[in-house]
Amino acid sequence: MSNQQSLVDYLVEHEPSFRKARLPALYSDFTTLRTLNPDGYQANISAWRSALAHLARSGLAPAPKGSTPNLLVLNSDESLLRALESKKYGRPLALGTVIREALAAKDLMPLHDFLTSQTSIYYKPWLPSPWGVAGGVAGWALKQLGVADWLRGNGLPKGQYVVIANVEEAGKQFAATTASALTDSRFERTWSKAHFLHTYNEQVKLEQGSEGKLLTETDLDVLLVFLSRDKDVIIYDGSTFKIKAPSDDAGQQQQSITSEDTTVASIKELVSSLTHQTHLLAGRISELDQAARQAVQAKNRIAALAALKQKKLAEQTLEGRYASLTQLEAVAAKIQEASDSVAMVKVMETSSRVLESLNEQVGGVDRVENLVGKLRDQMAEVDEVNTILAEAGTTAAGVDEEEIDDELEEMLAEQEEEKRAVEEEKKEEEREAEELRRRLEAIGGVPVAEPGSRREREMERLMKGMSIDEE
């Protein structure tokens, strides 16, 4: 957002529910719509909730005097009303109602209550709605206590409120940023709060394009409480936290930060600090060397000697830092190795108990050998019974194999005889046809003759003879 742009203009540009046509309704006192037009009332409430969450995660919401704007916590006071004031529509008259509705729906939560509560924010006990009971006896009681008047009031509740939607988004960013650590050892999953804020803060982006807007210490405290109490993905004691690994047994998971965890986090933070110092010192040495060379070229002996002395001191300091860093890294490697050994021993211990239990169920080598021997005996007995049954079946049938073979030969002979008879009949038909052909050739064809002629009578006689032969 540019310095000349107001928060109202920013919301119109970046928040879909803040169209210019809706600004008169959003800046009016729409509290009466709760009963006259519930849908319009809820639409205005929803638009303001989304706008306030957007302003907070963008780092544009006003912060308490002298502090950096929080991204997960909204500061509600007179400065918020002034920042949202429009030249055309004035201040948002129903902003107090919006805050109260968000508190009732747990979209906002007082910062102190959020950090100290032992109950998850997702736990919703059964309670009647204050709006639903406001007209009965319970409503009279609430009015006597001043609760109903607070819920229906128009004044802006003052305080710092955690924006739950922004916290949930930061939780997703945390999961994406530390996903690789879930498969690493205990050493890589343990952090101090300050070290994590310094290392990963720039990677947690709640709003695209919001350069320079980083989580504050308050934001990180809120996020870590949320991840520990409400998401159960880390263990946190206020200064040190450890990411839970998915492979950890739920029944054996560590439920608090130990002294070993604190030591590991301190070593990691110190290694990171020394590494940063070595980079700064190396840059400082390079600058002093360049300054000394320039002084020599300028024939400024005093400046050259001063630069060389400072360079020498920086080199000595750098040498000491590197020595300390090497020692710490060796200690860290040994701690990580020991941590891996502890995990290995636990796995071996568990495996030993499992194998022992399974061997007890097996019953030992003697029991297995006994069972195998019995199994072999029973299988041999089954084979013997099957052999006896097969022999008894053959004997009981009383079938004479020779008689079966003779009957088969007889059937084959009959079939062969029938085949020969068919062939003889076919040959006889062929001979008769040949005989007829010869007779016809002897006659010399069938000439046309007058009825009753001698040749015609001879032809009829031959035809009759053929018919008799065929029959």
Side-chain angles (χ1 to χ4, degrees):
M1 187 180 76
S2 63
N3 295 330
Q4 306 299 327
Q5 189 180 29
S6 66
L7 288 185
V8 181
D9 296 333
Y10 176 85
L11 290 175
V12 170
E13 182 178 348
H14 295 87
E15 189 62 32
S17 56
F18 259 71
R19 300 187 303 273
K20 287 187 177 181
R22 292 200 60 195
L23 289 180
L26 292 171
Y27 271 76
S28 67
D29 185 5
F30 53 81
T31 306
T32 55
L33 296 180
R34 183 188 298 117
T35 54
L36 299 177
N37 183 6
D39 292 339
Y41 175 79
Q42 289 299 329
N44 291 341
I45 292 291
S46 177
W48 271 112
R49 286 183 190 175
S50 178
L52 293 175
H54 192 146
L55 291 176
R57 67 174 176 265
S58 300
L60 300 177
K65 188 175 181 180
S67 62
T68 304
N70 298 309
L71 306 186
L72 307 183
V73 180
L74 177 69
N75 185 56
S76 176
D77 57 14
E78 185 67 19
S79 63
L80 180 62
L81 285 172
R82 286 197 302 268
L84 290 172
E85 187 173 357
S86 168
K87 294 181 179 179
K88 184 175 182 180
Y89 304 107
R91 294 186 175 187
L93 299 179
L95 188 60
T97 301
V98 172
I99 299 294
R100 289 183 176 85
E101 286 280 5
L103 288 169
K106 286 192 173 181
D107 290 334
L108 296 179
M109 190 171 180
L111 176 61
H112 179 268
D113 294 349
F114 184 93
L115 295 177
T116 59
S117 175
Q118 301 298 317
T119 306
S120 171
I121 61 173
Y122 298 114
Y123 173 70
K124 296 183 183 294
W126 184 89
L127 284 174
S129 170
W131 308 117
V133 300
V137 177
W140 178 84
L142 290 174
K143 185 177 295 185
Q144 296 302 314
L145 295 173
V147 176
D149 293 337
W150 179 83
L151 290 171
R152 297 179 184 277
N154 287 327
L156 181 67
K158 296 182 179 181
Q160 290 184 300
Y161 303 107
V162 176
V163 184
I164 302 301
N166 293 359
V167 177
E168 291 174 336
E169 179 61 28
K172 295 178 183 178
Q173 295 288 335
F174 175 89
T177 301
T178 61
S180 60
L182 296 180
T183 58
D184 292 332
S185 65
R186 172 183 178 181
F187 189 88
E188 296 298 330
R189 292 185 284 112
T190 305
W191 297 82
S192 69
K193 184 170 67 173
H195 184 204
F196 185 85
L197 184 65
H198 175 73
T199 305
Y200 281 105
N201 201 357
E202 293 183 358
Q203 300 183 31
V204 180
K205 290 292 185 181
L206 299 183
E207 187 71 18
Q208 297 298 327
S210 56
E211 292 82 359
K213 302 299 187 296
L214 304 178
L215 295 178
T216 63
E217 290 188 11
T218 301
D219 289 332
L220 184 59
D221 206 20
V222 168
L223 175 60
L224 294 178
V225 169
F226 171 75
L227 294 172
S228 174
R229 179 192 61 206
D230 305 313
K231 290 299 184 179
D232 195 30
V233 296
I234 66 170
I235 304 170
Y236 177 52
D237 68 350
S239 59
T240 304
F241 71 91
K242 184 172 71 173
I243 304 172
K244 293 183 178 180
S247 58
D248 292 343
D249 185 358
Q252 299 179 353
Q253 276 185 354
Q254 178 184 331
Q255 298 300 323
S256 61
I257 297 296
T258 64
S259 58
E260 290 85 355
D261 296 326
T262 304
T263 301
V264 167
S266 299
I267 290 176
K268 287 181 63 176
E269 184 177 1
L270 187 53
V271 167
S272 177
S273 175
L274 288 175
T275 302
H276 180 65
Q277 291 179 37
T278 57
H279 291 161
L280 294 179
L281 286 171
R284 176 63 175 165
I285 290 171
S286 178
E287 291 175 359
L288 291 172
D289 182 75
Q290 186 66 24
R293 294 179 184 277
Q294 291 177 355
V296 170
Q297 291 178 357
K299 302 184 181 305
N300 189 341
R301 178 181 175 82
I302 296 177
L305 288 173
L308 289 175
K309 288 180 180 179
Q310 293 178 359
K311 176 186 173 184
K312 188 64 175 178
L313 291 174
E315 287 176 343
Q316 292 175 354
T317 303
L318 180 61
E319 183 178 356
R321 293 292 187 273
Y322 272 127
S324 300
L325 183 59
T326 301
Q327 185 176 2
L328 281 176
E329 288 178 342
V331 172
K334 291 298 181 182
I335 291 176
Q336 188 166 356
E337 182 179 347
S339 178
D340 294 339
S341 298
V342 170
M344 179 63 71
V345 170
K346 288 182 179 180
V347 171
M348 293 174 64
E349 183 180 2
T350 304
S351 301
S352 176
R353 288 197 297 266
V354 171
L355 288 174
E356 182 180 0
S357 175
L358 293 175
N359 287 330
E360 288 178 357
Q361 296 178 34
V362 170
V365 177
D366 294 337
R367 180 169 178 263
V368 173
E369 290 181 348
N370 190 20
L371 289 174
V372 171
K374 289 182 179 180
L375 181 61
R376 289 174 179 170
D377 294 340
Q378 295 301 320
M379 292 174 64
E381 185 174 348
V382 170
D383 292 339
E384 185 177 354
V385 170
N386 289 336
T387 303
I388 294 173
L389 290 175
E391 294 176 354
T394 305
T395 304
V399 178
D400 190 347
E401 297 292 337
E402 293 182 0
E403 184 179 351
I404 292 176
D405 292 339
D406 294 341
E407 185 176 353
L408 178 61
E409 290 295 334
E410 184 179 350
M411 293 176 65
L412 292 174
E414 290 178 358
Q415 185 177 4
E416 188 66 26
E417 184 66 27
E418 291 178 358
K419 184 178 180 181
R420 284 197 299 269
V422 172
E423 290 179 353
E424 288 295 335
E425 184 178 354
K426 184 177 181 181
K427 290 179 180 179
E428 182 65 25
E429 291 177 354
E430 291 178 352
R431 284 196 299 270
E432 291 176 354
E434 182 65 23
E435 181 65 23
L436 176 60
R437 187 183 62 79
R438 288 198 303 269
R439 289 180 182 183
L440 291 174
E441 288 179 353
I443 296 172
V446 187
V448 180
E450 295 180 0
S453 65
R454 184 173 61 84
R455 186 177 293 276
E456 184 179 357
R457 290 195 297 269
E458 181 66 22
M459 181 62 69
E460 289 179 357
R461 184 180 64 81
L462 290 174
M463 294 298 290
K464 287 180 180 179
M466 288 174 59
S467 299
I468 294 171
D469 290 341
E470 291 177 356
E471 292 176 356

